[in-house]
Amino acid sequence: MPVSENSLKFDRDHIWHPYTNLNRPTPTFGVESAEGVYLNLSNGQRVIDGMSSWWSMIHGYNHPELNQAIKDQVDVMSHVMFGGLTHQPAIDLSKKLVDLTAPDLECVFLADSGSVSVEVALKMALQYWYVKGLQKKSKFLTIRNGYHGDTFGAMSVCDPENGMHAMFSGVLPEHFFVSAPDCKSDDDWKPEFIAEFKSAIEKNNEKIAAVILEPIVQGAGGMRVYCAEYLRQVARLCREHNVLLILDEIATGFGRTGTFFAYEQADICPDILCVGKAITGGYLSLAATITTRKVADVIGGGQDGNLMHGPTFMGNPLACAAANKSIELLLSSDWLSNVRRIERQLLDELMPCLKISSVADVRVKGAIGVIELKNSLDMHKIQPRLVELGVWIRPFGKLLYIMPPYVINSDQLSVLTMAMQTVALESL
Ligand SMILES: *Cc1c(COP(=O)(O)O)cnc(C)c1O
């Protein structure tokens, strides 16, 4: 459906978009339809989506099989409450999640968004120590540059300056933060890289319920990549100091970093895992928190053993049907070759940008490509410029980054990397 000029004016005057100012609206484009890797804009332009609608649309838009899965489900039952009722789509999805994650992860909480799955993970960790009589373990330890969502618990473990929520710092519970990891690859690992984390956990473990972090790639809080050895050390220190490990794979899950889950690269298993974003192939909002039998048993063994969370739209059948189909599509495709192919091309086409003097850093991991500029980009100018270049890329701050749908072909990917290079050259 075309978006008229009148509608766009109403949008500017009345509707908040993510992280926007109604008094100073940034350019916002109407989308008429979407197909494969393309968004068809109301201004008649067709742009290649480099964002996968924020990590989620991994199979591309308007996918016939995903469309059909939802159509089939809507004719049977679009929603029922999950309190006291259950259904096959939720059971099938939970089975898949148990099978696909590490063997110890076997208990599933279906949440309606990534932020909610993080809230549930934090609650699980607090409830675990509460039942064990260690109520003092009520803080979290995390690394800077993290992003875990926009609700209050999640905000409190986001980067305190970078995490988009600095103004709420007085209201948020205070947790422990250490510097973001600095190690780029396992080959140049040095014990110094973990020193600050180690001393924080040694000093404060009696107050710490869990460590929470994004494994291998930190997303919206800085688009940083770090080595698997850091994660291995974190997992070891958590075990040694009686602290639970929560991994937030909402951005990295479902193949994005070159393994099905990023934690596989460190050969570890978290106590609690959050997944979301790509879980439904970008079709509907859904996320999950998955934990071990050990954690579930402790929580369940408490005087009031109920896990105290239960969203209205928990386990929505349409979202579960989309997730079941998306995971089937992923597993029946050669997703790993696709991600590796994208990674190779991103390395070839983005690394040369390091020579451009406006560029501070270039990072590639799996199907993720990042150019960090030396100066912040002006969204009012840069968003229309990128559209003019035929791409949908949404930079923030100094970061110009893409995580395209896995089905993107090499010509389409080149259009994205060329646009990034052009913007870097124009920022000189
Ligand atoms: C997007 C994201 C979240 C929040 O998910 P929502 O669905 O937006 O609430 C949490 N953690 C990470 C790592 C994310 O990328």
Side-chain angles (χ1 to χ4, degrees), residues 332-350:
S332 64
S333 73
D334 196 355
W335 63 268
L336 182 57
S337 310
N338 263 332
V339 170
R340 287 201 177 133
R341 166 182 66 82
I342 294 169
E343 181 174 51
R344 273 194 304 276
Q345 193 177 339
L346 288 174
L347 285 167
D348 284 351
E349 296 178 3
L350 292 183

Side-chain angles (χ1 to χ4, degrees), residues 183 185-195 229:
C183 55
S185 99
D186 279 357
D187 296 339
D188 37 52
W189 174 258
K190 297 192 208 84
E192 293 99 279
F193 290 132
I194 195 72
E229 183 59 27

